[in-house]
Amino acid sequence: MPKLVWDETGKRFYETGVDHGVLYVMGTNGYEEGVVWNGLTAVNESPEGGEPTALWADNIKYLNLMSAEEFKGSIEAYTYPDEFMECDGSAEIATGVTIGQQTRKQFGLAYRTRIGNDVDGSDHGYKLHLVYNCFASPTEKGYETINDSPDAITFSWDFDTTPVNVKDHKPTAHLIIDSTKVDSTKLTALETQLFGGEGETAKATLLLPDAVVDALK
């Protein structure tokens, strides 16, 4: 067995950034065509659950039972697509006129985070994240007067998810694709389906986990 070596050149990895945000609103027949989410500044992943509950018997710790894990998080952005208004409980009742406190639609989300190392910097690769069946919760929006230190308003939304089925695995609401580990040609073809391509038939479509796996085989 070879000796372990720490901090080899090219193996000092890190992750940074968030970009290429895409929103997929849930329609009556599945997810609608994806739209670009400009101004995305952060996606905070905050899973909950997966905690042990100790059971005791015969005066000893008998075993641990693990609770189910849920995928939750929050989104921060300087702006959002018009299509997201329905996901945020708003409805347009006339051109340019919206009201709140309406039924919220589910949505899917895609975004990238960068993988860096000590050789390539933050251009070493990226991770493509797909999140399914999100529900946004009402959150505070703070508007402040313009002063001598102007800043743009940052919108934020907490979201919860409902998992989707995955063949031979437990359901999940979060799928991650590592560009440094999958075939680049197949990944390009997959991204054409997710982000759209040339021609009217090449629409941006959120693929479910089993379809993603099939595309990368």
Side-chain angles (χ1 to χ4, degrees):
M1 180 177 178
K3 182 180 178 181
L4 297 178
V5 179
W6 285 263
D7 299 324
E8 292 182 83
T9 299
K11 294 186 177 181
R12 303 175 187 180
F13 299 109
Y14 61 91
E15 294 187 38
T16 185
V18 61
D19 60 16
H20 280 55
V22 182
L23 170 72
Y24 306 87
V25 178
M26 180 68 78
T28 55
N29 297 311
Y31 290 105
E32 298 176 357
E33 183 176 359
V35 295
V36 170
W37 191 319
N38 292 318
L40 192 65
T41 60
V43 179
N44 304 301
E45 302 171 2
S46 308
E48 292 184 358
E51 299 174 349
T53 298
L55 299 183
W56 295 77
D58 298 322
N59 297 324
I60 61 171
K61 191 173 185 179
Y62 190 66
L63 55 83
N64 276 325
L65 292 180
M66 302 297 294
S67 62
E69 185 174 327
E70 296 183 68
F71 185 76
K72 300 181 178 182
S74 63
I75 302 167
E76 298 177 19
Y78 286 125
T79 186
Y80 51 88
D82 289 343
E83 290 81 357
F84 186 70
M85 289 194 300
E86 291 182 295
C87 306
D88 195 27
S90 298
E92 188 173 57
I93 57 175
T95 302
V97 182
T98 60
I99 56 175
Q101 298 171 286
Q102 304 302 299
T103 301
R104 292 171 178 263
K105 282 192 173 183
Q106 283 185 300
F107 63 95
L109 187 68
Y111 57 94
R112 298 192 324 179
T113 54
R114 292 182 179 271
I115 303 173
N117 69 1
D118 53 311
V119 175
D120 303 319
S122 59
D123 294 324
H124 179 68
Y126 59 88
K127 289 183 178 180
L128 178 58
H129 300 251
L130 304 179
V131 186
Y132 303 94
N133 295 347
C134 302
F135 258 122
S137 302
T139 52
E140 179 181 346
K141 297 181 177 69
Y143 299 92
E144 298 180 357
T145 184
I146 297 176
N147 52 38
D148 58 354
S149 300
D151 195 9
I153 295 170
T154 300
F155 299 100
S156 66
W157 303 267
D158 295 327
F159 67 85
D160 202 344
T161 62
T162 303
V164 297
N165 291 329
V166 183
K167 184 179 179 181
D168 299 327
H169 292 81
K170 292 181 179 180
T172 185
H174 186 206
L175 182 149
I176 306 171
I177 303 164
D178 190 330
S179 71
T180 67
K181 297 180 180 180
V182 300
D183 181 270
S184 59
T185 301
K186 294 179 179 179
L187 179 57
T188 299
L190 172 64
E191 290 179 331
T192 299
Q193 297 183 71
L194 294 171
F195 304 145
E198 300 297 331
E200 294 183 358
T201 58
K203 296 182 179 180
T205 304
L206 180 58
L207 301 180
L208 295 177
D210 289 343
V212 171
V213 173
D214 290 340
L216 294 175
K217 283 184 178 178

